[in-house]
Amino acid sequence: MKLPPLNALRAFEAAARHEGFIAAADELCVTRGAVSQQIKALETHLGVPLFHRHSRGVALTEAGRRLLPVLSDAFGRIAGATNALSEQAADLRIICPPATSIRWLIPRLDAFRAAHPEIRVRLTTEFHSGGNYDAAEYDIGFTCALSPGRSPDIETRELFPVFLTPGCAPSMLEGEAALKRPEDLARVKLLHEVAERSDWQAWLDRFPVPGVSAESGDVFPNLDMATRAAVIGSGVVMADLVLCREEIERGQLVLPFPDMVRTSPQGPICLISHRERWQEPKVRRFAEWVEQEAGRDRAALDLERFDEV
Amino acid sequence: MKLPPLNALRAFEAAARHEGFIAAADELCVTRGAVSQQIKALETHLGVPLFHRHSRGVALTEAGRRLLPVLSDAFGRIAGATNALSEQAADLRIICPPATSIRWLIPRLDAFRAAHPEIRVRLTTEFHSGGNYDAAEYDIGFTCALSPGRSPDIETRELFPVFLTPGCAPSMLEGEAALKRPEDLARVKLLHEVAERSDWQAWLDRFPVPGVSAESGDVFPNLDMATRAAVIGSGVVMADLVLCREEIERGQLVLPFPDMVRTSPQGPICLISHRERWQEPKVRRFAEWVEQEAGRDRAALDLERFDEV
DNA sequence: CACCATGGGAGAGATTTTCTAACTCATTCT
DNA sequence: AGAATGAGTTAGAAAATCTCTCCCATGGTG
């Protein structure tokens, strides 16, 4: 396959389409002279004149008329394919479970958008385990490290651990029904993120409390709503120290047993993506930004306080 | 229509097709480094990696796999169209009437082929008037200047005039039947090029000879055969001073009435081509070469001797 | 297990291509 | 006649592209 100089072909295509060198030069953002030279070079290369030069303007020769549609078509296809690629390259499709989304990602995301306006962020807030992460639908996701059933091409990167300890409204530490010892949990309502009650179960496995069962209490569709129920004094939620940091720092949520902390059995929160995708600029930028933000949370938590379990 | 750098696309296409940068570099006659840089530039431009880099070789990414067929197809179309043009640009299709062809063009044509080996000459020897010259079939032709019915897009360039005077074998000037005066033509056979007997008729119109009519004599399919008949003493041909120059100089053909010369009523021999085609390199080169050769003939003839009629 | 062959990456500097800027020419419109 | 239009030409500047040299990682091989 022998090809003539491609840039000369592009110059010719533009000039032929506009039936003039000046319009072509404008389109290509060069001077008329450049177009003139390119086209002359192409004519020399092919050995056929492509334009008749009149004193005023140019007109295609027979040869030029034959060449134009082929080039326009070919360049059109190339433009279509490459634009589709860049188009898609600009879209960053993120999937994030509800609690992480509303409590961690969304508050920070505008900063990312501001820092990278060229990336169109499309966030889907939806529960998903690492096992059913769909690399075709999403460029990157948030999930738990130990989710089973991942294909070997799907890789994760750890962000921060999930530290669990009961949390409640400050009012619950006061009065005669105050939560003072773990046994007091038997007198209050447990607030669960999902029907499986796994967080409370995990904590109770680590710190068994007689008379307290994970089977009791209210169930919410996600951790955010359970936490908000706790804040308004409805019961005790199994709080995630990272995701609930704001409420804890503001004193809206208090930790009655701050030394009784365990990590989630599902492992730390992590980013998840296809092995190949990490290198894509949009993904790399987002991942780097997320890791930086997560680093701040890890630092703020003073993780060394806790024994990992 | 926004296009990525075309040369980078070509580098990518070659690399993707060969599944390796080295093979691509060989195909493009550059170094691996050049291919590597071009492809990196393209990836940066599109914002998507097109290859996975392994320690040994590369493999297309999803994006690369989508781009490759489009590019291969587009470049293939471009190559096809441009090759067809150059291909045709290399063919020089000439049409030339028989006498001019055999007596003038063919003896000189090898010199042209040697001087321009890149041009494939395809000569068609066939009678045609300027009026039915077909610019789609032939790039250039030889004809008479005054042929009627030409379209305005068909232009001619004069080569040399057609000087007509009787010619015969030297033997005819000897003996008791020797041609001494025009009246002696009544005793010999006239040799005609075509049934129309126009050359003899034209000469006789200019130099009327009592008792001699263009209606008599033998007819040949072309001037070459009529001339050869004259050389072997069969009769008197209406000789063209240019086309018969060789025989005249060698003494095979003698001119009994060297002062009785007239130009052909059909005008001089000329080149004929489409207005647009003269600029095509192959046509221009041929035309220039022909004009140069014709110039030699005009000089050799010492045209000033003759009164043009 | 050292060693070499393979295939690609990086960076500096050379080279080639391409573009610009200024001017020219021919023609048409006013 | 003079202005405006559209293209051609040229030298030199700018930009792109390439080469060259050295680097790294991997996978056979003796």
Side-chain angles (χ1 to χ4, degrees), chain B residues 20-21 25 47 56 101 124 126 155 174-175 177 198 209 219 232 292 297:
Chain B
F21 289 10
R56 217 178 170 77
S101 179
T124 300
E126 190 177 296
E155 295 174 351
E174 293 155 13
S198 64
V209 183
V219 170
I232 61 179
Q292 189 178 327
D297 282 300

Side-chain angles (χ1 to χ4, degrees), chain A residues 5 7 29-31 33-35 37-38 55-56:
Chain A
N7 292 323
C29 300
V30 295
T31 57
V35 174
Q37 289 173 61
Q38 291 280 26
S55 56
R56 214 177 172 77

Side-chain angles (χ1 to χ4, degrees), chain A residues 220-241:
Chain A
F220 294 86
N222 58 62
L223 183 60
D224 181 56
M225 292 185 69
T227 305
R228 282 157 67 176
V231 167
I232 62 177
S234 174
V236 184
V237 72
M238 185 48 57
D240 178 313
L241 290 187

Side-chain angles (χ1 to χ4, degrees), chain B residues 254-275:
Chain B
V254 294
L255 309 178
F257 318 113
D259 296 326
M260 300 169 77
V261 172
R262 74 152 294 176
T263 55
S264 164
Q266 296 172 335
I269 297 285
C270 58
L271 283 175
I272 186 168
S273 185
H274 191 279
R275 180 174 47 80

Side-chain angles (χ1 to χ4, degrees), chain B:
Chain B
M1 180 160 61
K2 267 190 77 113
L3 286 168
L6 292 172
N7 292 323
L9 288 175
R10 175 161 48 182
F12 165 75
E13 198 273 340
R17 190 157 27 80
H18 289 113
E19 299 187 329
F21 289 10
I22 292 183
D26 289 348
E27 175 180 315
L28 300 172
C29 301
V30 294
T31 57
R32 322 90 179 277
V35 173
S36 175
Q37 288 174 64
Q38 291 279 29
I39 288 173
K40 171 136 31 116
L42 181 60
E43 290 178 322
T44 304
H45 178 96
L46 295 176
V48 198
L50 298 167
F51 285 107
H52 298 298
R53 271 72 167 180
H54 302 130
S55 55
R56 217 178 170 77
V58 290
L60 283 172
T61 61
E62 169 63 25
R65 267 194 301 278
R66 266 211 306 260
L67 190 53
L68 173 60
V70 177
L71 291 184
S72 293
D73 173 66
F75 287 147
R77 288 160 186 264
I78 292 174
T82 53
N83 287 347
L85 276 190
S86 329
E87 187 72 10
Q88 176 184 319
D91 271 23
L92 180 67
R93 300 158 303 169
I94 307 168
I95 185 165
C96 187
T100 312
S101 179
I102 195 73
R103 306 190 74 81
W104 195 91
L105 181 57
I106 290 175
R108 291 161 172 80
L109 203 51
D110 278 344
F112 178 76
R113 289 191 222 257
H116 299 282
E118 80 282 4
I119 299 178
R120 282 203 306 276
V121 175
R122 286 165 40 196
L123 171 65
T124 300
T125 295
E126 190 177 296
F127 176 78
H128 75 108
S129 81
N132 62 15
Y133 169 75
D134 179 358
E137 280 298 307
Y138 299 104
D139 297 303
I140 196 167
F142 290 75
T143 191
C144 295
L146 303 179
S147 41
R150 286 207 311 270
S151 104
D153 283 341
I154 304 296
E155 295 174 351
T156 60
R157 294 191 189 178
E158 200 166 310
L159 290 175
F160 42 74
V162 176
F163 287 112
L164 300 174
T165 193
C168 58
S171 58
M172 294 192 78
L173 301 192
E174 293 155 13
E176 54 188 34
L179 271 177
K180 294 213 162 71
R181 296 166 305 157
E183 290 74 19
D184 298 334
L185 287 170
R187 286 186 283 108
V188 298
K189 190 161 60 182
L190 303 190
L191 305 175
H192 300 280
E193 176 185 3
V194 285
E196 291 86 37
R197 296 162 167 85
S198 64
D199 284 355
W200 268 111
Q201 188 60 61
W203 190 83
L204 289 169
D205 286 347
R206 177 77 172 82
F207 305 107
V209 183
V212 177
S213 158
E215 298 304 313
S216 71
D218 291 351
V219 170
F220 294 86
N222 57 60
L223 183 60
D224 181 57
M225 292 184 71
T227 305
R228 282 156 68 175
V231 168
I232 61 179
S234 174
V236 183
V237 73
M238 185 47 57
D240 177 314
L241 292 186
V242 172
L243 299 187
C244 299
R245 183 152 70 98
E246 200 177 338
E247 283 90 345
I248 294 168
E249 286 178 350
R250 285 210 296 260
Q252 298 175 310
L253 202 65
V254 294
L255 309 178
F257 318 113
D259 296 326
M260 300 169 77
V261 172
R262 74 152 294 176
T263 55
S264 164
Q266 296 172 335
I269 297 285
C270 58
L271 283 175
I272 186 168
S273 185
H274 191 279
R275 180 174 47 80
E276 300 181 350
R277 307 291 272 281
W278 293 108
Q279 299 316 315
E280 293 188 22
K282 62 182 181 184
V283 174
R284 206 177 56 235
R285 289 197 194 107
F286 182 72
E288 281 166 3
W289 173 81
V290 167
E291 281 162 354
Q292 189 178 327
E293 292 290 319
R296 277 211 266 279
D297 282 300
R298 284 199 306 272
L301 264 184
D302 188 12
L303 298 183
E304 314 307 325
R305 292 184 289 160
F306 308 111
D307 300 331
E308 291 226 8
V309 179

